[in-house]
Amino acid sequence: MTTVNINLKSGAMKKETLKCLLLLAVVAIICSCGQTARRLPLIPDGVKQTMVDGKPVIDTVYKTISDFGFLNQDSIMVTNKDFDGKIYVADFFFTSCPTICPIMHRNLLKVYEKYKGNPEVMFLSHTIDYRYDIPSRLKAYRSRLGAAGKQWQFVWGTKDLVYAMAQKDYLVSVNEDKAAPGGYVHQGYLVLIDKHRRVREAYDGTKQDQVEKLMADMDILLKEK
């Protein structure tokens, strides 16, 4: 730290110096407030009306993940309750995907490694190949990828359930397409969910800068009250 000695020889110099110090203090307070107030956005999903003291009150409803239950790689039922009080990253993929899935999951593995062992962070990967990706295949895929333990779950569900949840809750497009490589089309988004199951942001899992932003935003979300 550098110390600067100021010799206040005159009243005018003292006055100007005090002005500068006050200005610096105001700037520091503004910057500090900006840092503590930084929050990730919430995604509106409509409004609801309630009655308070006999008067109607309109509140915003935010995009929130519905209750769910899927079989994981160990053929054990995983539900939304397993994610209570945690932030998590969700994605949609299939194990035989020849295009974006390998890139997306290699990038997501870096995120997993950063937060490995953090009890407040989980990962949830949904297969969209309901025919082929039975739990045993999900387990083999997860092992090859390098994930272990309960922190990163790979789950299977019926077509109707998974596809509806992808599009309605996570806002990710998925579909079958015989003309597409592997027979399926889907977006490679990594969707960040907060501790209240609210969608906060989505990131292109095939792009390194987006994955870096995801990790930075996860750090912010972990500090959110």
Side-chain angles (χ1 to χ4, degrees):
M1 179 181 293
T2 302
T3 303
V4 178
N5 294 317
I6 301 175
N7 184 15
L8 302 179
K9 294 182 178 180
S10 67
M13 182 179 290
K14 181 185 290 186
K15 187 174 181 180
E16 290 303 314
T17 302
L18 288 174
K19 282 183 179 179
C20 290
L21 292 174
L22 285 171
L23 180 60
L24 289 172
V26 170
V27 171
I29 291 171
I30 292 173
C31 291
S32 175
C33 290
Q35 290 174 355
T36 57
R38 188 183 176 195
R39 287 171 58 91
L40 300 184
L42 289 162
I43 300 176
D45 192 33
V47 296
K48 67 177 180 179
Q49 178 177 301
T50 56
M51 299 299 291
V52 178
D53 296 329
K55 297 180 180 180
V57 176
I58 304 298
D59 291 316
T60 302
V61 177
Y62 296 104
K63 178 59 69 176
T64 303
I65 305 304
S66 306
D67 291 351
F68 61 81
F70 300 104
L71 284 179
N72 74 356
Q73 67 281 338
D74 298 312
S75 296
I76 296 172
M77 184 64 71
V78 172
T79 75
N80 50 279
K81 293 186 180 298
D82 294 299
F83 295 80
D84 284 350
K86 306 175 189 297
I87 70 170
Y88 71 95
V89 180
D91 71 280
F92 294 82
F93 80 109
F94 58 108
T95 62
S96 58
C97 174
T99 54
I100 65 174
C101 298
I103 302 170
M104 181 174 68
H105 274 169
R106 281 197 299 269
N107 284 334
L108 188 54
L109 185 64
K110 298 174 185 177
V111 185
Y112 166 77
E113 291 292 346
K114 176 179 177 179
Y115 296 98
K116 190 174 182 179
N118 188 326
E120 296 183 87
V121 179
M122 289 188 71
F123 302 84
L124 182 61
S125 293
H126 306 76
T127 178
I128 61 173
D129 188 347
Y130 56 95
R131 294 190 183 93
Y132 181 82
D133 286 343
I134 58 177
S136 61
R137 288 196 172 97
L138 292 177
K139 187 170 186 175
Y141 177 89
R142 188 179 82 138
S143 178
R144 291 195 302 272
L145 185 62
K150 296 182 178 180
Q151 195 170 2
W152 192 347
Q153 298 287 332
F154 291 75
V155 294
W156 174 94
T158 64
K159 175 184 177 180
D160 289 345
L161 178 59
V162 174
Y163 285 35
M165 179 161 277
Q167 295 169 11
K168 177 180 177 294
D169 289 14
Y170 291 99
L171 306 177
V172 175
S173 176
V174 301
N175 217 332
E176 289 185 274
D177 186 347
K178 293 181 179 179
Y184 296 89
V185 291
H186 66 99
Q187 293 172 304
Y189 287 128
L190 307 176
V191 186
L192 181 58
I193 311 299
D194 70 17
K195 294 180 179 181
H196 303 284
R197 282 196 280 161
R198 298 174 300 192
V199 177
R200 301 303 291 265
E201 187 59 274
Y203 311 81
D204 187 337
T206 66
K207 296 182 178 179
Q208 187 59 42
D209 62 330
Q210 286 280 291
V211 177
E212 294 292 336
K213 185 176 186 302
L214 165 61
M215 290 188 283
D217 287 351
M218 289 173 71
D219 289 339
I220 293 172
L221 200 54
L222 284 169
K223 297 175 184 178
E224 189 174 281
K225 299 297 183 181

